[in-house]
Amino acid sequence: MSRKKSRLELPEGYRADQAGQGIWVYLEHRDGEFASVSLELLGKGRKLADQAGVELSGLLLGDSVETLGESAISFGADEVCVIEDPRLAAFNLEAFSDLVCQAVQEGKPGVLLLGATHDGRDLAGRLAVRLQTGLNADCTELVLDPARGVLISEVTGFGGGIIALLECPDRRPQMSTVRPGVFPLPERNPARKGRVLRIATNITDEIFATTVLEKEERHTVDLTQADTLVCGGRGMDGDFDSLRELASVLGGDVGGTRPPVDDGYIERERQIGQTGVVCHPKVALCLGISGAFHFVVGIEQADLVIAVNSDPEAPIFEYADYGIVADVHDFIPALLGAFESYRERAHA
């Protein structure tokens, strides 16, 4: 990677009395598809905009992305502001920071929402400094007070021991990042009408302070899209092979709590909870998990939670729809055996 000095002078931020009332969502995408968190934020942004009686706008940067802009309208945006250039085909932190900053300074939205992804976190931090505004990170809920035009961001802390409600009453835009999976995906409505607006910007070579010389991608699992999750905790004693076998039988995916991740029994991207991913599965099967709040926030919005633990007083049973007091090392083989017997009878 080579690096060049940027001489771009950036504008200052703006106050609440200088801002509009619109809500903007930064739309992250890759390989012609939106990141799931961008769609989730469009869904949440649509609800907030309707409550406040304001417009919802998407901000989209890239190369030949106008079709994506039209797709964003079908997911809830009233308008999509597009900045296109071949040099924007791949995310470039310095260039994207400069261009988004220019667009925000020009449009002066009241709220700017971003996904708490690797790129979104980097971008949000730089924007907050350049626009001289606050940033609420890794929010679990967003509420807009229409009377004051103030966004209230909910953030958990100290292992769920507190819930902080954060506001940025004086500076704009009010910025929040949200982790993937916190909000549900909105339904697509191809009949929705909206506007795709091209933003004219002065894109010069000097805003590209870095140049990507080579790119290597590692594909990882996305547990936020799983309908069935088989989750293991410390009580599995490292036996995640049996969980993988069970997940394969159920057509689901495997996740874990932090202890087995730290011990190397399961990959970091499969960690569920406050410091991992937040999921909305139809079924979450929790095996050998005590039920600390750090983990529970990752599956509490599942349609159905089934917990298996040898301790009848385990906190996980307070959150489960069905609780089974049993040793997971006996339960899993028995359950796999029951599935095998069912298949044999079905094919007899």
Side-chain angles (χ1 to χ4, degrees), residues 193-204:
K193 302 297 182 182
R195 308 176 299 278
V196 177
L197 308 176
R198 290 181 177 272
I199 298 180
T201 56
N202 182 25
I203 303 178
T204 61

Side-chain angles (χ1 to χ4, degrees), residues 27 56-60 68-70 72-73 77-82 195-198:
L27 298 173
L56 175 66
S57 301
L59 182 58
L60 180 62
L68 274 177
E70 296 169 353
I73 291 171
D78 294 307
E79 70 173 18
V80 180
C81 302
V82 175
R195 308 176 299 278
V196 177
L197 308 176
R198 290 181 177 272

Side-chain angles (χ1 to χ4, degrees), residues 73-240:
I73 291 171
S74 70
F75 282 105
D78 294 307
E79 70 173 18
V80 180
C81 302
V82 175
I83 302 175
E84 286 189 317
D85 189 278
R87 291 168 291 183
L88 302 177
F91 180 79
N92 181 293
L93 180 56
E94 292 85 359
F96 276 52
S97 298
D98 292 344
L99 294 172
V100 172
C101 184
Q102 290 180 43
V104 169
Q105 182 66 24
E106 179 67 25
K108 290 184 169 53
V111 173
L112 175 61
L113 306 177
L114 304 92
T117 61
H118 293 298
D119 293 345
R121 285 176 169 137
D122 283 348
L123 181 60
R126 289 201 173 207
L127 289 174
V129 172
R130 297 183 182 205
L131 293 166
Q132 302 174 27
T133 190
L135 171 60
N136 300 325
D138 282 10
C139 302
T140 56
E141 181 60 285
L142 301 172
V143 178
L144 192 63
D145 182 345
R148 298 185 296 147
V150 172
L151 180 71
I152 303 171
S153 301
E154 180 179 296
V155 179
T156 58
F158 294 97
I162 65 169
I163 296 178
L165 302 179
L166 308 179
E167 298 181 2
C168 182
D170 300 321
R171 303 296 298 179
R172 296 293 183 271
Q174 301 167 93
M175 291 179 56
S176 295
T177 61
V178 178
R179 279 188 294 170
V182 170
F183 300 128
L185 285 168
E187 293 186 7
R188 185 172 188 173
N189 180 7
R192 284 197 84 255
K193 302 297 182 182
R195 308 176 299 278
V196 177
L197 308 176
R198 290 181 177 272
I199 298 180
T201 56
N202 182 25
I203 303 178
T204 61
D205 288 337
E206 65 180 358
I207 72 171
F208 293 86
T210 59
T211 301
V212 178
L213 303 179
E214 185 177 349
K215 185 176 181 181
E216 180 178 341
E217 291 191 6
R218 182 169 67 94
H219 296 285
T220 60
V221 66
D222 184 2
L223 294 184
T224 65
Q225 303 303 307
D227 285 336
T228 302
L229 277 178
V230 179
C231 312
R234 195 193 301 271
M236 289 302 303
D237 298 323
D239 181 21
F240 274 75

